[in-house]
Structure formats: structure tokens, C-alpha cells
Amino acid sequence: LDKVLVGTAVGYGYLLMVLFLSSAVSAFRHPRPPTLAAVAAFAGGMLFFHTIVGLSVVPVTLASLGVAMVLRLHPRMSWLPGAGRIASIAAATVVGTLIALPSTLQMLRGWTPDKTQMDLNRIAFHWLTLWTLVSATAVVAWLARRPLAQAWRRRRPLHAFLSILLLAMCGFALLVKLPENNQIKFVFEVFLLLVLFAAPAAPGAWRRLGRGGRGGAGGAPGLGLP
């Protein structure tokens, strides 16, 4: 909990992740140059302020954009975000990454092999991460279950992309093991993505809980980000 309550670099990295996602959502809806510039700035900012946050969120986002691009080639998936918008957001993210690349490489060169946390040989499953992921996100995952299903059933392009990103981040969190077992940093990133879907459903859940679980409308279909 101290990671987000105390003013540390990783806490600021999480804040930049929120701003990056918010800018990407805006760019999906209205891909204007200022919005795409914000996407680039926040993508680079994550790498400048905390490499672990940047080197998890940025590649997972790019991979998710690639998956969305491939999926929309199928006739039944043509309702996913347009190829032009996917490409523009991917390009803006890459630009931000390239801006931060010299700084990132300089920092990685200064780490000894035993201290670097981005060793490609660290692809491994760890049971503690699974337990942390399940226990930390159980409530928001339960709240998010209906909006996640509606994203595909009702063909909501933006929601569907964010669900792809959520699934990719879950896989990243479960498979990437850091030297000090502090891959729980990735669990917060999964939690944040789940909150986007869970937040609109929370008021209805509280009302049903107050009535002992009887009746009440389901969660609103909106998205947590503006």
C-alpha cells in the first residue's frame, strides 16, 4: 500500500499510467494531435520515472494494440476500433518510448546483471503472484464481470480493447518474475484496469447489498475513464 500512499517514483509511475490510459481512451474517440502528443508524453514519462512500470505497461499496450489490429481483420470482429486509430495510438506510444530510450538504456547499462529487473530470463510462474493477484483483485473482478461480458456481447470497441489489455496485463503479471519477488507491482496495474470496468457497477452492487441482495438494476454500462 505504501507504493501509492508515499511519494515514490513507482507511485508517480502509476499516476502516469492512469494519465496514459486516459489519453489513449481520448485518442480512440478523437485522435487529435494534442491527444496523441499526450499519449507519447505519458508513455515516455513512465520510462523516465520508473522503468518497471514503463517496461510493463508500454510493451503490453503495444502487444494489445497488435492483437486488436489482427482480430479486427476477421469479419465478425470488424467492429473493434478502427485500424487508423489503433495505428495512431501505437505510433504515439512508440514515439514516447523512443524519446525515453537513451535514458532507459543508460540506466540499464548501470545495473549489474544480478540487479537488473528486466532480465529476459525471468519468464517464470510464481505461486505467490497468483495468490496476490487473486486476493487483491477479487472484489473488483466480481464487480467487473458483467461490464467485461457486455463489452463483447454488445460490441463496444473501446471496452473490448481495454479487456484485451487487461488480459494481457494479467498474463504479464503472472509470467514475469523479478529478482526480489516484487512482481506484485504488476498486480496494481491489473487492479487499475479492472477498476475501469468495476467502478460503473459499484453503485448498483452497494444498493443490492443494502437490500440484502434482492433486486436492483445492474451496473451502468459506462466506463470509468472519461
Side-chain angles (χ1 to χ4, degrees), residues 6-217:
V6 180
T8 60
V10 69
Y12 192 66
Y14 289 149
L15 173 61
L16 291 173
M17 176 186 175
V18 174
L19 295 172
F20 171 73
L21 290 173
S22 182
S23 300
V25 166
S26 298
F28 266 120
R29 291 172 173 161
H30 306 289
R32 301 188 182 101
T35 308
L36 293 171
V39 172
F42 295 131
M46 285 187 288
L47 291 165
F48 277 123
F49 279 91
H50 202 282
T51 312
I52 299 301
V53 176
L55 289 181
S56 56
V57 176
V58 169
V60 169
T61 300
L62 289 173
S64 300
L65 289 167
V67 169
M69 183 75 84
V70 172
L71 286 178
R72 74 176 315 278
L73 295 176
H74 193 282
R76 293 186 178 180
M77 294 289 183
S78 59
W79 54 270
L80 286 170
R85 299 194 178 195
I86 293 176
S88 62
I89 293 171
T93 304
V94 169
V95 168
T97 303
L98 292 176
I99 291 173
L101 185 61
S103 173
T104 304
L105 292 177
Q106 185 76 11
M107 183 173 57
L108 291 176
R109 286 195 201 101
W111 287 349
T112 56
D114 61 313
K115 290 185 178 180
T116 179
Q117 299 195 350
M118 286 292 119
D119 188 347
L120 293 179
N121 295 323
R122 297 196 177 277
I123 304 299
F125 175 80
H126 195 275
W127 70 267
L128 185 60
T129 306
L130 176 61
W131 169 251
T132 304
L133 183 65
V134 172
S135 60
T137 65
V139 174
V140 290
W142 179 80
L143 290 171
R145 72 194 191 286
R146 186 174 298 174
L148 280 168
Q150 290 175 348
W152 294 89
R153 188 166 56 246
R154 299 186 181 179
R155 297 188 175 187
R156 293 175 176 150
L158 178 56
H159 297 62
F161 167 73
L162 289 173
S163 69
I164 293 172
L165 180 59
L166 169 63
L167 183 62
M169 189 61 73
C170 284
F172 189 94
L174 290 172
L175 294 178
V176 175
K177 184 177 182 296
L178 298 181
E180 298 177 359
N181 288 328
N182 56 346
Q183 58 272 8
I184 56 170
K185 289 185 175 74
F186 307 140
V187 173
F188 184 81
E189 296 168 8
V190 174
F191 179 87
L192 192 150
L193 286 165
L194 274 170
V195 166
L196 299 183
F197 292 93
W206 281 114
R207 287 193 297 271
R208 291 193 298 274
L209 184 63
R211 289 193 293 268
R214 297 187 300 274

